[in-house]
Amino acid sequence: MIPPHDDPPTTRAAAPGPVGRIRFMDAQRVNLDGFAVENPELGLIALSSPYDPEPGLVLEDGVVTEMDGVKAADFDAIDAFIAAHGLDLTVAVEAMALSDVAAARMMVDPSIPRSEVVWLCAGMTPAKLARVLALLRPAELVMAMTKLRARRTPSNQAHVTNRLDDPLLLAADAATAAAFGFRELETTVPVLADAPSNAVAVSIGAAVGSPGVLVQCSVEEALELELGLRGFVSYAETVSLYGTEQVFTDGDDTPWSKAFLTSAYASRGIKMRVSSGAGAEVLMGGAERRSMLYLESRCVALARAMGAQGVQNGGIDGASVAGSVPRGVRGLMAENVMVMARNLESCSGNDALMSESDVRRTARTLPILLAGSDFICSGFGSIQRYDNMFGPSNWNAEDIDDYLAIQRDWGVDGGLRTADTGAIAALRERAAQAARAVYSWFGLADFTDEQVAAAVDAAGSKDLPGSDPVAVTNAARLIQETGLTMADVVTALQETGFEPEAERLLDMLKVRVGGDCLQTAAILTPEMRVLSLVTDPNDYTGPGTGYEPTPERQAEIDAIRQRRSVEDLRREQAAYASDALRPAGPAVQRGDPREVVIGVSPATGRDIWVTLSGLPVVEALRQLLAGLEEEGCVARIVRFHDTIDLGMIGLSAARLSGSGIGIGLQAKGTALIHRRDLAPLANLELYSIAPVLSAEDYRLMGVNAGRHAKGGTPEPARNPYTDEAIEARYHTRVVSLVAIERACCRAGAGPEELTL
């Protein structure tokens, strides 16, 4: 019998950490984003909450007595306003009787006119419209947006701000944004008192960049309205709506106060839309267990009831909250379609940065870009991230080239165009000088030549020299206290030699008087023509209909500044031309066992002088020769005129070589070692990634070719490694280089010996 004893203590090994693959994944930027577990109790649910009300509408004698399960006696302020002003009761019975699936199918069916869908949606309650839109899958949302947006022609809006509220930089950046095609510019301030100065500076810069650009200064509502009344802004959109009464009243607002503000803007010809968007109520702890889509449906119905021209939604400041839950990004697009279904202008979000992942933020915008919206972005950050006083946008100055390329990739109109590099410099100079002249004329501030030059060249406010931090505030105070108006700014521009800009700003004031921008989804073309639901209605009814860029507009979209033609490449190559490679007569086979022939392609040293890595072809040849010399070999250079195939060039060189070993070199830099008894597509060593090859790599190939010639088996040279997108970066150049090579080919021409 074994005596009893205490078990010895055991030591547990620490739990192992994640393996390297997971550690690598953890380091990626997408893991900076927050992702939430779906929680209806907190409103963290995108499309449909178990607490969303059942759609319903009861009418008695033409009056709404019950809506979405709530009796009229129990209506909150939002319900009461929508019931009184937000539903078309002549169609409500028919619309509410339609099944959710049938209504959803109508939205995507090209054979059913937009007008019929809009007519029916006017009679749907918030719960009904939210439930219908929740049924649309992503591809169906794209179809619905293509069909339902108000204006036929898509457009885009930019943010123009900086950390310093520097007027010269604001004017220069506004002119730049207008040159890139933005038809609305929105500014704001880090210091509220600076608002009048910002509005003046951005308006001046916008007028330099293009006629007809609308400007907004997003600040406290009373001050923003005053700026509008004085002519300093031409549209407003930061009149905020919320989907629960608690959040509304927390801001000391009601639907009636917002409606009054809407009317105040309209009374002065100022375009106006409201702002809402998923996640706002969640952030404020007032979601009342409802889904984000349902709460936004209440906001959109309220916007329609108030008489607003449109809605800025798609998450806006709450976009990252919506993006944190399953199907949240899908819900953001559904919000935009909801606005369109209510026959309002859609300013489709894509402004607040919803992810640190470039993939996620691009995926959030792409469906809207493909479908087209009245405004693809309600605030593309045309300035750098750090200068965006709204916070970083989903798209920023760092991304403009990417956005322009995506437009071109898909052949769609995202509202932007490539601005001429030289023209940008001239516009920035004129905008800064115009702002300087106006500020000097009114005694607001005096700017030096150095400050103007810095603003013209600056990529952002960090590039500006130190300045007086109170100068802008003083200028803004003088604008405010002296009662300056845009008419005064027009006079100052006229008197200081900026007549075209004065005329453009005067034209904007005339448009206000005419009221043309009060049309739904109104923008102005550079020719001052109004495009809107009235003048440019969306007429999409399937393939072959709706908006298609004109040939001129498509040429603008296609003409990104990075594109290159064969002729462009010829000119670049010609700058490196020399007579270093000279013909020395026909090439014949020789018998020296130490000899290695270097075969080159037809255009090498004739029309092509630089490889894809930037190394001159003669330098690549010198390195090959030096490597062969190290091994005690004799070398010849032979040009083959009848083929551009690297395998055949190398094999043909080997067959002429006394050792039976040859090197093939294409002008673009690709190289290999061949042997005379191998098939054309076989080789001993291959450098296939020409863009990363260095002089040392070619020297090593020469050494190894010499060792093969002497019967050795050298360690093969390997392609240098890179994680760059080599194909994307160089393949278009390869196509041009191959075209040049092909043009130099002469069928039947014999090989030609060259001297270096």
Side-chain angles (χ1 to χ4, degrees):
M1 179 178 177
I2 301 174
H5 63 275
D6 294 331
D7 290 335
T10 59
T11 302
R12 292 189 177 183
V19 297
R21 174 61 66 87
I22 302 302
R23 294 196 304 273
F24 173 75
M25 292 171 65
D26 286 344
Q28 305 311 305
R29 293 190 66 81
V30 70
N31 292 298
L32 296 174
D33 295 349
F35 295 94
V37 174
E38 205 169 55
N39 186 339
E41 301 295 329
L42 297 177
L44 283 170
I45 187 164
L47 300 178
S48 180
S49 167
Y51 302 106
D52 285 349
E54 280 293 315
L57 187 69
V58 178
L59 303 178
E60 294 180 10
D61 299 324
V63 176
V64 176
T65 58
E66 182 178 327
M67 183 175 71
D68 293 338
V70 180
K71 300 289 186 182
D74 298 321
F75 282 170
D76 64 11
I78 298 172
D79 287 330
F81 201 94
I82 293 171
H85 306 289
L87 298 176
D88 183 348
L89 300 184
T90 64
V91 71
V93 173
E94 180 179 348
M96 295 300 292
L98 197 65
S99 75
D100 297 339
V101 170
R105 289 177 177 173
M106 291 180 72
M107 289 185 173
V108 300
D109 186 344
S111 68
I112 297 176
R114 175 185 185 275
S115 57
E116 185 173 341
V117 177
V118 166
W119 175 69
L120 283 167
C121 288
M124 292 184 186
T125 65
K128 176 70 172 181
L129 189 54
R131 184 172 288 193
V132 169
L133 283 161
L135 294 174
L136 296 184
R137 290 167 289 195
E140 293 160 350
L141 286 169
V142 172
M143 289 298 300
M145 182 172 283
T146 303
K147 170 180 169 177
L148 293 179
R149 74 170 181 268
R151 190 178 60 245
R152 190 170 183 267
T153 306
S155 189
N156 221 324
Q157 180 200 113
H159 287 164
V160 180
T161 65
N162 65 63
R163 298 176 308 136
L164 306 176
D165 288 338
D166 184 274
L168 302 183
L169 184 58
L170 286 168
D173 285 342
T176 302
F180 275 106
F182 292 103
R183 301 313 298 167
E184 286 187 355
L185 304 184
E186 182 182 20
T187 190
T188 193
V189 291
V191 178
L192 177 60
D194 292 348
S197 174
N198 280 29
V200 169
V202 172
S203 294
I204 291 170
V208 172
S210 171
V213 177
L214 302 176
V215 170
Q216 178 204 6
C217 185
S218 174
V219 288
E220 184 272 330
E221 288 177 349
L223 178 56
E224 185 171 347
L225 179 59
E226 182 181 349
L227 293 174
L229 297 178
R230 291 164 67 172
F232 292 140
V233 298
S234 42
Y235 80 98
E237 71 178 6
T238 48
V239 177
S240 300
L241 302 184
Y242 302 99
T244 63
E245 187 177 58
Q246 175 192 342
V247 177
F248 233 126
T249 56
D250 282 349
D252 196 27
D253 272 315
T254 70
W256 287 269
S257 66
K258 295 293 188 180
F260 179 82
L261 186 57
T262 301
S263 301
Y265 280 110
S267 72
R268 296 300 184 269
I270 302 171
K271 177 180 176 179
M272 184 271 183
R273 55 179 169 259
V274 297
S275 290
S276 50
E281 298 85 3
V282 181
L283 283 169
M284 297 182 191
E288 298 178 358
R289 305 193 299 180
R290 311 299 196 186
S291 70
M292 297 183 203
L293 187 61
Y294 167 70
L295 293 180
E296 183 58 18
S297 190
R298 298 187 87 199
C299 293
V300 174
L302 189 57
R304 183 68 190 174
M306 289 164 45
Q309 292 168 254
V311 180
Q312 173 188 224
N313 71 356
I316 313 304
D317 292 337
S320 57
V321 176
S324 73
V325 300
R327 295 168 296 282
V329 173
R330 175 172 159 184
L332 297 181
M333 189 171 183
E335 291 181 15
N336 302 144
V337 175
M338 181 184 290
V339 173
M340 299 170 181
R342 292 283 189 200
N343 209 26
L344 299 170
E345 174 185 70
S346 173
C347 206
S348 301
N350 293 302
D351 56 352
L353 183 66
M354 57 90 39
S355 173
E356 285 294 338
S357 162
D358 291 341
V359 176
R360 286 192 76 212
R361 65 188 180 90
T362 302
R364 185 260 183 277
T365 302
L366 185 59
I368 296 170
L369 175 60
L370 297 181
S373 177
D374 299 315
F375 289 92
I376 309 294
C377 299
S378 56
F380 188 123
S382 69
I383 66 286
Q384 292 195 54
R385 276 192 185 197
Y386 71 77
D387 261 336
N388 197 330
M389 294 300 98
F390 292 99
S393 290
N394 210 47
W395 297 84
N396 301 280
E398 297 89 333
D399 309 309
I400 288 177
D401 279 333
D402 298 81
Y403 188 91
L404 291 167
I406 293 171
Q407 280 190 151
R408 185 179 191 261
D409 292 342
W410 288 93
V412 296
D413 190 340
L416 302 191
R417 61 172 177 265
T418 297
D420 179 79
T421 303
I424 287 293
L427 287 172
R428 291 181 69 85
E429 170 76 25
R430 187 166 180 85
Q433 292 287 10
R436 178 193 195 183
V438 169
Y439 278 61
S440 177
W441 175 265
F442 291 117
L444 304 176
D446 290 314
F447 297 106
T448 66
D449 291 342
E450 291 74 17
Q451 286 174 304
V452 170
V456 170
D457 188 61
S461 64
K462 291 180 180 179
D463 298 331
L464 299 180
S467 59
D468 181 356
V470 300
V472 175
T473 302
N474 285 336
R477 177 180 55 79
L478 288 171
I479 294 170
Q480 191 74 355
E481 291 178 355
T482 57
L484 287 178
T485 69
M486 186 58 80
D488 298 314
V489 174
V490 169
T491 300
L493 287 168
Q494 180 73 26
E495 294 296 325
T496 55
F498 292 92
E499 291 89 353
E501 290 76 16
E503 188 66 32
R504 290 175 180 181
L505 288 178
L506 183 60
D507 286 342
M508 297 300 291
L509 294 177
K510 292 176 182 177
V511 168
R512 289 265 300 272
V513 174
D516 286 344
C517 282
L518 298 182
Q519 299 172 24
T520 298
I523 58 172
L524 297 170
T525 69
E527 298 75 33
M528 297 300 290
R529 186 164 59 91
V530 178
L531 298 181
S532 69
L533 174 63
V534 177
T535 65
D536 185 39
N538 183 13
D539 56 355
Y540 180 81
T541 56
T545 67
Y547 178 77
E548 186 72 20
T550 64
E552 294 77 17
R553 174 62 182 137
Q554 192 62 56
E556 272 191 334
I557 292 168
D558 295 346
I560 59 174
R561 63 193 180 93
Q562 300 88 347
R563 65 177 184 169
R564 296 290 183 271
S565 68
V566 174
E567 292 309 310
D568 291 329
L569 191 64
R570 283 187 185 276
R571 285 190 292 272
E572 291 174 13
Q573 289 286 337
Y576 297 91
S578 75
D579 60 354
L581 277 177
R582 299 180 181 179
V588 297
Q589 185 176 8
R590 295 183 184 173
D592 187 340
R594 298 176 303 143
E595 182 188 62
V596 174
V597 171
I598 302 173
V600 299
S601 58
T604 303
R606 179 187 290 169
D607 287 341
I608 301 176
W609 294 94
V610 180
T611 69
L612 286 173
S613 70
L615 191 71
V617 291
V618 293
E619 180 59 23
L621 287 168
R622 288 192 179 106
Q623 293 299 327
L624 290 169
L625 292 170
L628 289 166
E629 185 179 355
E630 282 184 29
E631 294 299 315
C633 291
V634 178
R636 274 192 296 158
I637 303 173
V638 174
R639 177 184 285 133
F640 293 92
H641 295 281
D642 60 345
T643 183
I644 66 170
D645 180 79
L646 181 62
M648 283 305 303
I649 292 169
L651 180 59
S652 299
R655 288 172 176 171
L656 290 181
S657 167
S659 67
I661 298 296
I663 296 174
L665 176 68
Q666 287 179 323
K668 63 186 176 71
T670 314
L672 55 70
I673 302 173
H674 223 305
R675 196 174 66 208
R676 69 162 61 110
D677 61 337
L678 296 177
L681 295 181
N683 58 73
L684 299 175
E685 295 180 21
L686 173 65
Y687 283 159
S688 59
I689 309 179
V692 298
L693 296 176
S694 66
E696 291 74 18
D697 295 315
Y698 289 109
R699 191 181 190 95
L700 177 58
M701 178 166 275
V703 167
N704 281 4
R707 291 175 180 174
H708 281 293
K710 294 187 296 184
T713 307
E715 180 180 346
R718 302 183 185 277
N719 281 296
Y721 173 77
T722 179
D723 60 358
E724 294 180 2
I726 290 294
E727 293 181 355
R729 188 171 176 182
Y730 292 101
H731 266 185
T732 55
R733 294 179 65 84
V734 169
V735 170
S736 295
L737 289 170
V738 168
I740 294 171
E741 288 270 33
R742 185 72 68 186
C744 290
C745 266
R746 301 202 308 270
E752 177 181 45
E753 198 160 317
L754 303 174
T755 61
L756 177 60

